[in-house]
Amino acid sequence: MTNGERRLAERLEKKLDDDYLLWYDVAVGPKQSHPDFVVLHPRRGILILETKDWRLDTIRRATPQAWEIVPDGHLKVVINPLAQARHCAIQVVNALERDRQLIHTSGFHEGKLAFPWGHGVVFTHITRKQFESAGLDQAIEPHLVICSDEMPEAGDPEEFQQRLWSMFPHAFGKVMSLPQLDRVRWIMFPEVRVQTQGNLFDDQDAEAELPDVMKVMDLQQEQLARSLGDGHRVIHGVAGSGKTMILGYRAEYLAKASRSGKPILVLCYNEPLAVKLHATFEARDLADRVHARNFHKWCRQQLVAYGQPIPAQSPAMFDEMVDNVIRGVERSQIPSGQYQAILIDEGHDFKPEWLKLVAQMVDPTTNSLLLLYDDAQSIYERRKARQFSFKSVGIEAQGRTTILKINYRNTRQILQTANRVAADLLTPEDKDDDGIPLIRPVSCGRDGEAPLILRLPTHRDELEKIAELLQSSHQEGYAWGDMAVLCRDYATMDACSSALRRRRLPHQVRKSRGDYRPGADTIKVMTMRVSKGLEFPVVALPGVGQMPAPDEDETEAARLFYVAATRATSRLFVTVSGTGEFGRRLGLDAPA
């Protein structure tokens, strides 16, 4: 911000009530124009403000069309700042008027916005007296200007607000509803749209038909995504809180704004999530600048690229591969600082020494690292050794930590079902900035179908029932690619595949790397563990009656169920046979 823009921002923040929304220098509408400030109020409407730090002696000549200015000793001819503000406002209005839910549908104003809009100019170094004595009021209507002496720090808030609202040509319409406010944000700011995970960052074509339901980031998510600066940042977010969406926004922003020749690295642990993220960045033509990898694939690529030894196939291969990268970096045979920025999704899956390694890979001139974390979803053995601080592994995020508590992915009913099994592990824990909190999710309140929880005589009956339910869901309009069956082990996956094959239902079993194809219109059959980070409208969980297994820690099994159940966005099917504890927690009596 210039000094004048900062001064105006401070006045807007302090003198407007909490129900005003403010954006500074954010691209707006289909044509991505850049007004200085956008002010939105549910009753007042939308106001576009252009800010000028010009001094009176900078201005040589002013007309309603163009101004001659000498900002640095050289004459420049620029568009009238009011015309500049109006141009941005018209673009916004034209985009909003395409939405029938935002316009008058009858009467004298039919087809026009159902709420007011206006535009104006703020001169941060010109007083009202100077404005009038120089004849600038002949180039801009006086009521469409705020001058430097009309925005004092100790000024009356109501007087300041009145100057803003005098910029509106009309005052009419009703108070905007929350859905209307979301529709306005959806149209004005394509980057905050919430898509299905398969299409995380898609923005609709300007001429495409507008959807009936428009989902956008909530205001905390948007503010967080836009305001993430350089340095190390940690977001602790519950399942379904939009962590991956924020990561995608951040990666795309950095890629487009970068003047560095270094790429951006997005890391996660599970291979299917890395495949999904890579496909998304590839669809956005960002794959050459944003590299999405699962951690061990990245380690192997480092070893190959810098001529380091690659371990032979063995149970210890992956651990040895990581150790070889760590030693390579310590000996300077693998360079540090390779990436402009690093973003880590599902960071709770990473061992402390992995985080320490990755932190060294950030270019120190940008020092840009974002870590997304949810300790409730730690489902691997390494969480038992999780007593460490971020500072101890080189992540300096004190004072730059954010907590997201609201779950948007799941319906209230699905989240309640997950909590019935996992409630004991979701006991909130307070930690300081450098610790790892455990956060209990809060439902966004979206209602849907109650999960179908069935007890059946045998495991085979469970899988036959799931195949039947998925077939019925397809007949009701769900695509095969919208569905997943999440299993405890490979044996259940094989039996599930047989049941689906008997009904000739298209499906894909993910057992090893390369088996997962997110764009294929097939039912995805995978383990509960590797599903973490993904989401599907329809999810089936067989074998819950065998959870926890006799030799399995009950808390760890509950975490696994919680992760699997919260993959579902709309429908959840849970089948039970056997006498495991989780069937009882779900309200099913054990078989006689």
Side-chain angles (χ1 to χ4, degrees):
M1 286 184 170
T2 65
N3 289 334
E5 288 170 339
R6 185 175 294 108
R7 182 179 170 215
L8 176 59
E10 290 171 353
R11 300 299 182 268
L12 291 170
E13 185 176 15
K14 292 178 180 178
K15 297 188 182 300
L16 300 185
D17 300 327
D18 290 341
D19 52 354
Y20 287 83
L21 303 179
L22 308 174
W23 291 267
Y24 164 75
D25 191 29
V26 171
V28 173
K31 296 186 179 179
Q32 297 288 274
S33 57
H34 272 264
D36 288 337
F37 290 91
V38 177
V39 183
L40 174 62
H41 188 270
R43 182 165 48 86
R44 299 287 191 175
I46 295 176
L47 182 65
I48 304 294
L49 293 176
E50 192 64 34
T51 311
K52 296 301 180 186
D53 281 0
W54 301 336
R55 299 182 184 277
L56 193 60
D57 57 10
T58 302
I59 303 168
R60 288 283 179 85
R61 182 168 177 266
T63 72
Q65 291 75 39
W67 289 38
E68 295 178 3
I69 60 173
V70 191
D72 51 8
H74 297 89
L75 181 66
K76 291 175 60 177
V77 179
V78 297
I79 188 174
N80 184 316
L82 184 65
Q84 186 179 353
R86 179 174 174 79
H87 176 71
C88 289
I90 290 293
Q91 287 191 8
V92 170
V93 171
N94 288 343
L96 295 176
E97 286 181 345
R98 292 182 55 231
D99 187 352
R100 286 189 57 80
Q101 297 190 36
L102 299 178
I103 61 173
H104 293 281
T105 55
S106 62
F108 181 75
H109 296 292
E110 183 177 357
K112 300 298 182 182
L113 273 188
F115 47 87
W117 62 275
H119 59 288
V121 180
V122 179
F123 290 114
T124 60
H125 288 106
I126 297 175
T127 66
R128 177 63 66 172
K129 183 176 181 180
Q130 290 174 324
F131 177 80
E132 293 174 348
S133 63
L136 300 181
D137 54 350
Q138 302 302 305
I140 297 182
E141 297 172 73
H143 69 281
L144 299 179
V145 170
I146 295 177
C147 294
S148 60
D149 56 336
E150 295 167 339
M151 45 186 286
E153 185 175 3
D156 179 54
E158 287 192 18
E159 184 177 332
F160 178 75
Q161 290 186 39
Q162 189 55 50
R163 292 193 182 278
L164 291 176
W165 308 130
S166 65
M167 295 178 173
F168 285 89
H170 307 287
F172 61 85
K174 300 178 180 178
V175 176
M176 274 186 271
S177 65
L178 288 177
Q180 284 180 317
L181 283 171
D182 282 346
R183 297 182 79 83
V184 169
R185 291 173 57 225
W186 192 96
I187 294 168
M188 288 176 61
F189 309 119
E191 63 272 21
V192 306
R193 298 172 186 175
V194 176
Q195 308 294 336
T196 59
Q197 196 179 56
N199 210 8
L200 279 174
F201 323 120
D202 182 43
D203 47 3
Q204 297 284 333
D205 182 272
E207 302 303 319
E209 183 177 349
L210 298 177
D212 292 332
V213 178
M214 297 179 178
K215 296 181 179 180
V216 291
M217 294 183 188
D218 75 5
L219 292 171
Q220 182 193 15
Q221 291 171 329
E222 181 184 355
Q223 187 175 37
L224 177 61
R226 292 192 188 282
S227 63
L228 281 173
D230 289 336
H232 294 185
R233 309 274 169 161
V234 176
I235 298 176
H236 296 283
V238 299
S241 59
K243 298 188 298 298
T244 301
M245 179 173 62
I246 292 171
L247 177 145
Y249 178 102
R250 178 66 173 166
E252 182 171 0
Y253 168 79
L254 289 172
K256 290 181 176 178
S258 172
R259 291 177 176 81
S260 165
K262 296 182 178 181
I264 295 159
L265 177 64
V266 175
L267 282 179
C268 58
Y269 177 73
N270 276 341
E271 188 256 359
L273 177 58
V275 171
K276 173 82 81 171
L277 289 168
H278 173 75
T280 303
F281 291 125
E282 193 171 46
R284 297 290 288 175
D285 198 25
L286 295 171
D288 60 329
R289 289 167 285 171
V290 182
H291 300 170
R293 304 284 188 268
N294 68 294
F295 177 69
H296 287 100
K297 180 177 181 179
W298 174 78
C299 285
R300 191 179 193 284
Q301 289 176 337
Q302 289 289 307
L303 296 177
V304 171
Y306 296 101
Q308 301 300 301
I310 298 174
Q313 285 283 127
S314 73
M317 178 184 69
F318 291 112
D319 288 338
E320 292 174 8
M321 197 156 49
V322 178
D323 289 342
N324 288 356
V325 176
I326 291 173
R327 285 197 296 271
V329 173
E330 289 173 348
R331 295 191 297 258
S332 298
Q333 293 170 332
I334 296 177
S336 58
Q338 296 180 33
Y339 298 94
Q340 173 199 337
I342 295 180
L343 300 85
I344 304 173
D345 203 357
E346 307 287 343
H348 42 268
D349 292 338
F350 282 57
K351 293 180 180 180
E353 57 267 31
W354 300 0
L355 293 173
K356 186 175 182 179
L357 168 64
V358 171
Q360 298 174 68
M361 291 293 151
V362 181
D363 185 338
T365 62
T366 61
N367 199 28
S368 180
L369 184 147
L370 173 63
L371 176 65
L372 307 182
Y373 216 96
D374 179 14
D375 200 46
Q377 295 188 74
S378 298
I379 57 175
Y380 297 97
E381 289 299 315
R382 48 189 165 274
R383 75 168 304 277
K384 296 177 180 177
R386 194 167 294 286
Q387 299 304 315
F388 73 97
S389 69
F390 290 129
K391 187 175 182 179
S392 70
V393 296
I395 298 176
E396 302 281 353
Q398 294 91 332
R400 295 188 298 275
T401 297
T402 303
I403 291 178
L404 300 176
K405 296 182 178 181
I406 300 177
N407 173 302
Y408 294 93
R409 175 191 299 142
N410 311 122
T411 62
R412 181 173 54 84
Q413 292 80 0
I414 289 172
L415 189 58
Q416 285 175 346
T417 298
N419 288 344
R420 282 163 68 181
V421 169
D424 291 344
L425 72 90
L426 296 176
T427 301
E429 298 177 6
D430 291 326
K431 301 278 184 176
D432 62 23
D433 257 1
D434 198 43
I436 299 171
L438 186 60
I439 308 163
R440 188 181 186 92
V442 176
S443 172
C444 70
R446 180 169 66 90
D447 282 310
E449 301 176 21
L452 184 60
I453 305 171
L454 299 172
R455 177 174 286 284
L456 295 156
T458 68
H459 193 50
R460 179 186 173 95
D461 293 327
E462 289 186 56
L463 299 174
E464 292 294 340
K465 186 63 176 178
I466 283 174
E468 176 190 329
L469 291 169
L470 296 182
Q471 188 171 33
S472 296
S473 294
H474 182 66
Q475 291 169 353
E476 294 173 31
Y478 287 97
W480 298 119
D482 288 341
M483 306 180 197
V485 184
L486 309 182
C487 308
R488 299 180 60 248
D489 50 41
Y490 282 5
T492 304
M493 290 166 58
D494 290 338
C496 176
S497 178
S498 297
L500 296 173
R501 194 161 47 246
R502 283 191 288 273
R503 286 182 176 263
R504 298 183 179 180
L505 305 187
H507 64 282
Q508 177 187 72
V509 179
R510 191 277 176 192
K511 281 190 175 180
S512 58
R513 298 175 190 276
D515 288 347
Y516 180 62
R517 296 185 293 279
D521 190 23
T522 55
I523 301 167
K524 308 301 186 288
V525 182
M526 62 179 63
T527 63
M528 293 178 173
R529 290 185 185 277
V530 301
S531 72
K532 191 150 64 63
L534 305 176
E535 63 181 42
F536 305 90
V538 181
V539 169
L541 307 181
V544 176
Q546 283 77 41
M547 297 180 72
D551 59 345
E552 188 177 15
D553 179 85
E554 187 173 314
T555 300
E556 296 304 308
R559 288 176 180 272
L560 191 60
F561 177 87
Y562 172 76
V563 166
T566 54
R567 300 310 96 198
T569 63
S570 299
R571 284 186 175 180
L572 176 63
F573 304 133
V574 182
T575 60
V576 175
S577 61
T579 59
E581 164 67 13
F582 291 179
R584 186 189 64 77
R585 292 192 189 184
L586 292 169
L588 299 176
D589 295 330

